[in-house]
Amino acid sequence: NMEIVFQPIWDVTRCNILAYEALARPAPEFGFSGPQELFDLAERVGRAHEIDAVCRRATLRRAKELPNGVLLFLNMTPDSLEHGRLDPRQFAVDVLAAGLSPQRVVIEITERSVVQIDVVINVAKTLQRLGFRLALDDTGAGNAGLEMLSQLAVDFIKIDRGIIVKALSDR
């Protein structure tokens, strides 16, 4: 059982909500201290793609709750993209069945654990051709960000929190 919450992403220029990011929260009875612990464990045991799929399904079940005209940011692990565990065309069908168009969905790809960058980039480009937007998440946290940016046009870049925190005190 996975609870999905929607965190607003503000457009500070226009002073309105641009999007909502879907965030997964494992049920308390599973004993995780939070979602990061669940995702870290899933990655260590090679099951991140399965947690990803559960979160995608749970998010799409609630997609009709989103206001018209806003984007939906949806996290996707590179593991789901690297090993052919996501069929981009079927995902587009699922998104349409949930009442959204692919143009309203932003796939967030984290750079933390990208191993086969060329494979991730190819799947990401297929998603773009189907109308999805892309965001590079946690940029600066790992080594893959610049390489991905050099080969993939993304719509949004989300800077890793650690870089922002250090920027306040590190010249």
Side-chain angles (χ1 to χ4, degrees), residues 71-143:
L71 301 173
L72 169 62
F73 277 63
L74 188 59
N75 292 290
M76 207 170 284
T77 64
D79 189 52
S80 292
L81 303 178
E82 282 178 340
H83 302 292
R85 294 178 171 132
L86 174 81
D87 177 346
R89 285 166 185 70
Q90 183 58 53
F91 180 58
V93 169
D94 296 343
V95 165
L96 289 167
L100 293 175
S101 67
Q103 291 77 13
R104 283 187 58 198
V105 178
V106 180
I107 306 299
E108 288 192 43
I109 305 168
T110 183
E111 75 159 271
R112 288 183 187 267
S113 60
V114 178
V115 178
Q116 298 177 331
I117 292 175
D118 56 332
V119 175
V120 171
I121 288 170
N122 285 335
V123 175
K125 286 180 179 179
T126 300
L127 288 164
Q128 283 180 316
R129 284 191 295 276
L130 292 168
F132 293 99
R133 299 180 192 201
L134 297 178
L136 189 58
D137 195 13
D138 295 328
T139 305
N143 300 319

Coordinates of all heavy atoms in Angstrom, one line a residue, residues 71-143:
L71 N 0.9 20.8 -14.4 CA 1.7 19.6 -14.8 C 1.8 18.7 -13.6 O 1.6 19.0 -12.5 CB 3.1 20.1 -15.2 CG 3.3 21.1 -16.3 CD1 4.7 21.6 -16.5 CD2 2.8 20.5 -17.6
L72 N 2.1 17.4 -14.0 CA 2.3 16.4 -13.0 C 3.8 16.0 -13.1 O 4.2 15.5 -14.2 CB 1.4 15.2 -13.2 CG 1.8 13.9 -12.3 CD1 1.6 14.2 -10.9 CD2 0.9 12.8 -12.8
F73 N 4.6 16.2 -12.1 CA 6.0 15.7 -12.0 C 6.0 14.3 -11.4 O 5.4 14.1 -10.3 CB 6.9 16.6 -11.2 CG 7.4 17.8 -11.9 CD1 6.5 18.8 -12.4 CD2 8.7 18.0 -12.1 CE1 6.9 19.9 -13.1 CE2 9.2 19.1 -12.8 CZ 8.3 20.1 -13.3
L74 N 6.6 13.4 -12.1 CA 6.5 12.0 -11.7 C 8.0 11.4 -11.7 O 8.6 11.4 -12.8 CB 5.7 11.2 -12.7 CG 5.4 9.7 -12.4 CD1 4.6 9.6 -11.1 CD2 4.5 9.2 -13.5
N75 N 8.5 11.0 -10.5 CA 9.8 10.5 -10.4 C 9.9 9.1 -11.1 O 9.0 8.3 -10.9 CB 10.2 10.4 -9.0 CG 10.4 11.8 -8.3 OD1 11.3 12.5 -8.7 ND2 9.5 12.1 -7.5
M76 N 11.0 8.9 -11.7 CA 11.2 7.6 -12.3 C 12.7 7.2 -12.1 O 13.6 8.0 -12.4 CB 10.9 7.6 -13.8 CG 10.5 6.3 -14.4 SD 9.8 6.4 -16.0 CE 8.2 7.0 -15.7
T77 N 13.0 6.0 -11.6 CA 14.3 5.7 -11.4 C 15.0 5.3 -12.7 O 14.4 4.7 -13.6 CB 14.4 4.4 -10.4 OG1 13.8 3.3 -11.0 CG2 13.8 4.7 -9.1
P78 N 16.3 5.6 -12.8 CA 17.0 5.1 -14.0 C 16.9 3.6 -14.2 O 16.9 3.1 -15.3 CB 18.4 5.6 -13.7 CG 18.3 6.7 -12.8 CD 17.1 6.4 -11.9
D79 N 16.8 2.9 -13.1 CA 16.7 1.4 -13.2 C 15.5 1.0 -14.0 O 15.5 0.1 -14.8 CB 16.5 0.8 -11.8 CG 16.6 -0.7 -11.8 OD1 17.6 -1.2 -12.3 OD2 15.7 -1.3 -11.2
S80 N 14.4 1.8 -13.9 CA 13.2 1.5 -14.8 C 13.5 1.7 -16.2 O 12.9 1.1 -17.1 CB 12.0 2.3 -14.3 OG 11.6 1.9 -13.0
L81 N 14.3 2.7 -16.5 CA 14.6 3.0 -17.9 C 15.8 2.2 -18.5 O 15.8 1.9 -19.6 CB 15.0 4.5 -18.0 CG 13.9 5.5 -17.5 CD1 14.4 6.9 -17.6 CD2 12.6 5.3 -18.2
E82 N 16.7 1.9 -17.6 CA 17.9 1.2 -18.1 C 17.7 -0.3 -18.6 O 18.3 -0.7 -19.5 CB 19.0 1.1 -17.0 CG 19.7 2.3 -16.7 CD 20.7 2.2 -15.6 OE1 20.5 1.3 -14.7 OE2 21.6 3.0 -15.5
H83 N 16.8 -0.9 -17.9 CA 16.6 -2.4 -18.2 C 15.3 -2.7 -18.9 O 14.9 -3.9 -18.8 CB 16.7 -3.1 -16.8 CG 18.0 -2.9 -16.1 ND1 19.2 -3.3 -16.6 CD2 18.3 -2.2 -15.0 CE1 20.2 -2.9 -15.8 NE2 19.6 -2.2 -14.8
G84 N 14.8 -1.8 -19.6 CA 13.6 -2.1 -20.4 C 12.4 -2.4 -19.6 O 11.5 -3.1 -20.0
R85 N 12.3 -2.0 -18.4 CA 11.2 -2.3 -17.5 C 10.0 -1.3 -17.6 O 9.0 -1.5 -17.0 CB 11.7 -2.3 -16.0 CG 12.7 -3.5 -15.8 CD 13.2 -3.5 -14.4 NE 14.0 -4.7 -14.2 CZ 15.2 -4.7 -13.7 NH1 15.8 -3.6 -13.3 NH2 15.8 -5.9 -13.5
L86 N 10.2 -0.3 -18.5 CA 9.1 0.6 -18.7 C 8.9 0.6 -20.2 O 9.9 0.9 -21.0 CB 9.5 2.0 -18.3 CG 8.5 3.1 -18.7 CD1 7.3 3.1 -17.7 CD2 9.1 4.4 -18.8
D87 N 7.7 0.3 -20.7 CA 7.3 0.4 -22.1 C 6.8 1.8 -22.3 O 5.7 2.1 -21.8 CB 6.3 -0.7 -22.4 CG 5.8 -0.6 -23.9 OD1 6.1 0.4 -24.5 OD2 5.2 -1.6 -24.3
P88 N 7.5 2.7 -22.9 CA 7.0 4.1 -23.1 C 5.7 4.2 -23.7 O 4.9 5.0 -23.3 CB 8.1 4.8 -23.9 CG 9.4 4.0 -23.6 CD 8.9 2.6 -23.5
R89 N 5.4 3.4 -24.7 CA 4.1 3.5 -25.4 C 3.0 3.0 -24.5 O 1.9 3.6 -24.5 CB 4.1 2.6 -26.7 CG 4.9 3.4 -27.8 CD 5.3 2.5 -28.9 NE 6.1 3.2 -29.9 CZ 7.4 3.5 -29.7 NH1 8.0 3.2 -28.6 NH2 8.1 4.1 -30.7
Q90 N 3.2 2.0 -23.7 CA 2.2 1.5 -22.8 C 2.0 2.6 -21.7 O 0.8 2.8 -21.2 CB 2.5 0.2 -22.2 CG 1.5 -0.4 -21.2 CD 0.1 -0.6 -21.9 OE1 0.0 -1.2 -22.9 NE2 -0.9 0.0 -21.3
F91 N 3.0 3.2 -21.3 CA 2.9 4.2 -20.3 C 2.1 5.4 -20.8 O 1.2 5.9 -20.1 CB 4.3 4.7 -19.8 CG 4.3 5.8 -18.8 CD1 3.7 5.6 -17.6 CD2 4.9 7.0 -19.0 CE1 3.6 6.6 -16.6 CE2 4.9 8.0 -18.1 CZ 4.2 7.8 -16.9
A92 N 2.3 5.8 -22.0 CA 1.5 6.8 -22.6 C 0.0 6.4 -22.6 O -0.9 7.2 -22.3 CB 1.9 7.1 -24.1
V93 N -0.3 5.2 -23.0 CA -1.7 4.7 -22.9 C -2.3 4.8 -21.5 O -3.4 5.2 -21.3 CB -1.8 3.2 -23.5 CG1 -3.1 2.6 -23.2 CG2 -1.4 3.2 -24.9
D94 N -1.5 4.4 -20.5 CA -1.9 4.4 -19.1 C -2.2 5.9 -18.7 O -3.1 6.1 -17.9 CB -0.8 3.8 -18.2 CG -0.6 2.3 -18.5 OD1 -1.5 1.7 -19.1 OD2 0.4 1.8 -18.0
V95 N -1.3 6.8 -19.1 CA -1.5 8.2 -18.8 C -2.8 8.7 -19.4 O -3.6 9.4 -18.7 CB -0.3 9.0 -19.2 CG1 -0.5 10.5 -19.2 CG2 0.9 8.7 -18.3
L96 N -3.0 8.4 -20.6 CA -4.3 8.8 -21.3 C -5.5 8.2 -20.6 O -6.5 8.9 -20.4 CB -4.2 8.5 -22.8 CG -3.3 9.3 -23.6 CD1 -3.1 8.6 -25.0 CD2 -3.7 10.7 -23.8
A97 N -5.4 7.0 -20.2 CA -6.5 6.3 -19.5 C -6.8 6.9 -18.2 O -7.9 6.9 -17.7 CB -6.2 4.8 -19.3
A98 N -5.8 7.6 -17.6 CA -5.9 8.2 -16.3 C -6.5 9.7 -16.4 O -6.7 10.3 -15.4 CB -4.6 8.3 -15.5
G99 N -6.7 10.1 -17.7 CA -7.3 11.4 -17.9 C -6.3 12.5 -18.1 O -6.7 13.7 -18.1
L100 N -5.0 12.2 -18.3 CA -4.0 13.2 -18.6 C -3.5 13.0 -20.0 O -3.6 11.9 -20.5 CB -2.8 13.0 -17.6 CG -3.1 13.3 -16.1 CD1 -1.8 13.0 -15.3 CD2 -3.5 14.8 -15.9
S101 N -2.9 14.0 -20.5 CA -2.2 13.9 -21.8 C -0.7 13.8 -21.4 O -0.2 14.3 -20.4 CB -2.4 15.1 -22.7 OG -1.8 16.3 -22.1
P102 N 0.1 13.1 -22.2 CA 1.5 13.1 -22.0 C 2.2 14.4 -21.8 O 3.1 14.6 -21.1 CB 2.1 12.3 -23.2 CG 1.0 11.4 -23.6 CD -0.3 12.3 -23.4
Q103 N 1.6 15.4 -22.5 CA 2.2 16.8 -22.5 C 2.1 17.4 -21.1 O 2.8 18.3 -20.7 CB 1.5 17.7 -23.5 CG 1.8 17.4 -24.9 CD 1.0 16.2 -25.4 OE1 0.1 15.7 -24.8 NE2 1.5 15.7 -26.6
R104 N 1.2 16.9 -20.2 CA 1.1 17.4 -18.9 C 1.9 16.6 -17.9 O 1.9 16.9 -16.7 CB -0.4 17.3 -18.4 CG -1.2 18.4 -19.0 CD -2.6 18.4 -18.5 NE -2.7 18.6 -17.0 CZ -3.7 18.2 -16.3 NH1 -4.8 17.8 -16.8 NH2 -3.7 18.4 -15.0
V105 N 2.7 15.6 -18.3 CA 3.4 14.8 -17.4 C 4.9 15.1 -17.6 O 5.4 15.0 -18.8 CB 3.1 13.3 -17.6 CG1 4.0 12.4 -16.7 CG2 1.7 13.0 -17.3
V106 N 5.6 15.4 -16.5 CA 7.1 15.6 -16.5 C 7.7 14.4 -15.8 O 7.5 14.2 -14.7 CB 7.4 16.9 -15.8 CG1 8.9 17.1 -15.9 CG2 6.7 18.1 -16.4
I107 N 8.5 13.7 -16.6 CA 9.3 12.6 -16.0 C 10.5 13.1 -15.4 O 11.4 13.7 -16.1 CB 9.6 11.5 -17.1 CG1 8.4 11.1 -17.9 CG2 10.4 10.3 -16.5 CD1 7.3 10.4 -17.0
E108 N 10.7 12.9 -14.1 CA 11.9 13.3 -13.4 C 12.8 12.1 -13.3 O 12.5 11.1 -12.8 CB 11.6 13.7 -12.0 CG 10.8 15.0 -11.8 CD 10.8 15.5 -10.4 OE1 11.9 15.4 -9.7 OE2 9.8 16.0 -10.0
I109 N 14.0 12.3 -13.9 CA 15.0 11.3 -13.9 C 16.1 11.7 -13.0 O 16.8 12.8 -13.2 CB 15.6 11.0 -15.3 CG1 14.5 10.7 -16.3 CG2 16.6 9.9 -15.3 CD1 14.9 10.7 -17.7
T110 N 16.4 10.9 -11.9 CA 17.5 11.3 -11.0 C 18.8 10.9 -11.6 O 18.9 9.9 -12.3 CB 17.3 10.6 -9.6 OG1 18.3 11.1 -8.8 CG2 17.3 9.1 -9.7
E111 N 19.8 11.6 -11.3 CA 21.2 11.3 -11.8 C 22.0 10.5 -10.8 O 23.1 10.0 -11.1 CB 21.9 12.6 -12.2 CG 22.5 13.3 -11.0 CD 23.6 14.3 -11.4 OE1 24.8 13.8 -11.3 OE2 23.3 15.4 -11.7
R112 N 21.4 10.2 -9.7 CA 22.2 9.6 -8.6 C 22.7 8.2 -9.0 O 23.8 7.8 -8.5 CB 21.4 9.5 -7.3 CG 21.2 10.8 -6.7 CD 20.4 10.6 -5.4 NE 20.1 11.9 -4.8 CZ 20.8 12.5 -3.9 NH1 21.9 12.0 -3.5 NH2 20.4 13.7 -3.4
S113 N 21.9 7.4 -9.7 CA 22.3 6.0 -9.9 C 22.3 5.6 -11.4 O 22.0 4.4 -11.7 CB 21.3 5.1 -9.1 OG 20.0 5.3 -9.6
V114 N 22.5 6.5 -12.3 CA 22.5 6.1 -13.7 C 23.8 5.4 -14.0 O 24.9 5.8 -13.8 CB 22.4 7.4 -14.6 CG1 22.5 7.0 -16.0 CG2 21.2 8.2 -14.3
V115 N 23.6 4.1 -14.5 CA 24.8 3.3 -14.9 C 24.9 3.3 -16.4 O 26.0 3.6 -17.0 CB 24.6 1.9 -14.4 CG1 25.7 1.0 -14.8 CG2 24.5 1.9 -12.9
Q116 N 23.9 3.0 -17.1 CA 23.9 2.9 -18.6 C 23.2 4.2 -19.1 O 22.1 4.2 -19.6 CB 23.2 1.7 -19.1 CG 23.8 0.4 -18.6 CD 23.0 -0.8 -19.1 OE1 21.8 -0.7 -19.3 NE2 23.7 -1.9 -19.2
I117 N 24.0 5.3 -19.2 CA 23.5 6.6 -19.5 C 22.9 6.5 -21.0 O 21.9 7.1 -21.2 CB 24.6 7.7 -19.4 CG1 24.9 7.9 -17.9 CG2 24.1 9.0 -20.0 CD1 26.0 8.8 -17.6
D118 N 23.6 5.9 -21.9 CA 23.1 5.8 -23.3 C 21.7 5.2 -23.4 O 20.9 5.6 -24.1 CB 24.1 5.1 -24.2 CG 24.5 3.7 -23.7 OD1 24.4 3.4 -22.5 OD2 24.8 2.9 -24.6
V119 N 21.5 4.1 -22.6 CA 20.2 3.5 -22.6 C 19.1 4.4 -22.0 O 18.0 4.6 -22.6 CB 20.2 2.1 -21.8 CG1 18.8 1.5 -21.7 CG2 21.2 1.2 -22.5
V120 N 19.4 5.0 -20.9 CA 18.5 6.0 -20.2 C 18.1 7.1 -21.2 O 17.0 7.5 -21.4 CB 19.1 6.5 -18.9 CG1 18.2 7.6 -18.4 CG2 19.2 5.4 -17.9
I121 N 19.1 7.6 -21.9 CA 18.9 8.7 -22.8 C 18.0 8.3 -24.0 O 17.1 9.0 -24.4 CB 20.2 9.3 -23.3 CG1 20.9 10.1 -22.2 CG2 20.1 10.2 -24.5 CD1 22.3 10.5 -22.4
N122 N 18.2 7.1 -24.5 CA 17.4 6.6 -25.6 C 15.9 6.4 -25.2 O 15.0 6.8 -25.9 CB 17.9 5.3 -26.1 CG 19.2 5.5 -27.0 OD1 19.4 6.5 -27.6 ND2 20.0 4.5 -27.1
V123 N 15.7 5.9 -24.0 CA 14.3 5.7 -23.5 C 13.7 7.1 -23.2 O 12.5 7.4 -23.6 CB 14.3 4.8 -22.2 CG1 12.8 4.8 -21.7 CG2 14.7 3.4 -22.6
A124 N 14.5 8.0 -22.7 CA 14.0 9.4 -22.4 C 13.6 10.1 -23.7 O 12.6 10.8 -23.7 CB 15.1 10.2 -21.6
K125 N 14.4 9.9 -24.7 CA 14.1 10.5 -26.0 C 12.8 9.9 -26.6 O 12.0 10.6 -27.2 CB 15.2 10.3 -27.0 CG 16.4 11.3 -26.7 CD 17.5 11.1 -27.7 CE 18.6 12.1 -27.4 NZ 19.8 11.9 -28.3
T126 N 12.6 8.6 -26.4 CA 11.3 8.0 -26.8 C 10.1 8.6 -26.1 O 9.1 8.9 -26.7 CB 11.3 6.5 -26.6 OG1 12.4 5.9 -27.4 CG2 10.0 5.8 -27.0
L127 N 10.3 8.8 -24.8 CA 9.2 9.4 -24.0 C 8.9 10.8 -24.5 O 7.8 11.2 -24.6 CB 9.6 9.5 -22.5 CG 9.6 8.1 -21.8 CD1 10.4 8.2 -20.5 CD2 8.2 7.7 -21.5
Q128 N 10.0 11.6 -24.8 CA 9.8 12.9 -25.4 C 9.0 12.9 -26.7 O 8.1 13.7 -26.9 CB 11.2 13.6 -25.6 CG 11.8 14.2 -24.4 CD 13.1 14.8 -24.7 OE1 14.0 14.3 -25.4 NE2 13.3 16.0 -24.1
R129 N 9.4 11.9 -27.6 CA 8.7 11.8 -28.8 C 7.2 11.5 -28.6 O 6.3 11.9 -29.5 CB 9.3 10.7 -29.7 CG 10.6 11.2 -30.4 CD 11.1 10.2 -31.4 NE 11.5 8.9 -30.9 CZ 12.7 8.6 -30.4 NH1 13.6 9.5 -30.4 NH2 12.9 7.4 -30.0
L130 N 6.9 10.9 -27.5 CA 5.5 10.6 -27.2 C 4.8 11.7 -26.5 O 3.6 11.7 -26.2 CB 5.4 9.3 -26.3 CG 5.8 8.0 -27.0 CD1 6.0 6.9 -26.0 CD2 4.8 7.6 -28.0
G131 N 5.5 12.8 -26.3 CA 4.9 14.0 -25.8 C 5.2 14.4 -24.3 O 4.9 15.4 -23.8
F132 N 5.9 13.5 -23.6 CA 6.3 13.7 -22.2 C 7.3 14.8 -22.2 O 8.2 14.9 -23.0 CB 6.7 12.4 -21.6 CG 5.7 11.4 -21.4 CD1 5.6 10.3 -22.3 CD2 4.8 11.5 -20.4 CE1 4.6 9.4 -22.2 CE2 3.8 10.5 -20.2 CZ 3.7 9.5 -21.2
R133 N 7.3 15.5 -21.1 CA 8.4 16.4 -20.8 C 9.4 15.7 -19.8 O 9.0 14.8 -19.2 CB 7.9 17.7 -20.1 CG 6.9 18.4 -21.0 CD 6.4 19.6 -20.3 NE 5.2 20.2 -21.0 CZ 4.8 21.4 -20.8 NH1 5.5 22.3 -20.0 NH2 3.8 21.9 -21.5
L134 N 10.6 16.3 -19.8 CA 11.6 15.7 -18.9 C 12.2 16.7 -17.9 O 12.4 17.8 -18.3 CB 12.8 15.1 -19.8 CG 12.4 14.0 -20.8 CD1 13.7 13.6 -21.6 CD2 11.9 12.8 -20.0
A135 N 12.6 16.1 -16.8 CA 13.3 16.9 -15.8 C 14.5 16.1 -15.3 O 14.4 14.9 -15.2 CB 12.4 17.3 -14.6
L136 N 15.6 16.7 -15.1 CA 16.8 16.0 -14.6 C 16.7 16.4 -13.1 O 16.8 17.6 -12.7 CB 18.0 16.5 -15.2 CG 19.3 15.7 -14.9 CD1 19.2 14.3 -15.2 CD2 20.5 16.3 -15.6
D137 N 16.6 15.4 -12.2 CA 16.4 15.6 -10.8 C 17.8 15.3 -10.1 O 18.6 14.6 -10.6 CB 15.4 14.6 -10.3 CG 14.9 15.0 -8.9 OD1 15.1 16.1 -8.4 OD2 14.2 14.1 -8.3
D138 N 17.9 16.0 -8.9 CA 19.1 15.8 -8.1 C 20.4 16.2 -8.9 O 21.5 15.6 -8.7 CB 19.3 14.4 -7.6 CG 18.1 14.1 -6.6 OD1 17.7 15.0 -5.9 OD2 17.7 12.9 -6.6
T139 N 20.3 17.1 -9.8 CA 21.5 17.5 -10.6 C 22.6 18.0 -9.7 O 22.4 18.9 -8.8 CB 21.1 18.6 -11.6 OG1 20.0 18.1 -12.4 CG2 22.2 19.0 -12.5
G140 N 23.7 17.5 -9.9 CA 24.9 17.8 -9.1 C 25.2 16.8 -8.0 O 26.3 16.9 -7.4
A141 N 24.3 15.9 -7.8 CA 24.5 14.9 -6.7 C 25.4 13.7 -7.2 O 26.0 13.1 -6.4 CB 23.2 14.3 -6.3
G142 N 25.5 13.5 -8.5 CA 26.3 12.4 -9.0 C 27.1 12.9 -10.2 O 27.3 14.1 -10.4
N143 N 27.5 11.9 -11.0 CA 28.4 12.2 -12.1 C 27.7 12.3 -13.4 O 28.4 12.7 -14.4 CB 29.6 11.2 -12.1 CG 30.4 11.2 -10.8 OD1 30.7 12.2 -10.3 ND2 30.7 10.0 -10.4

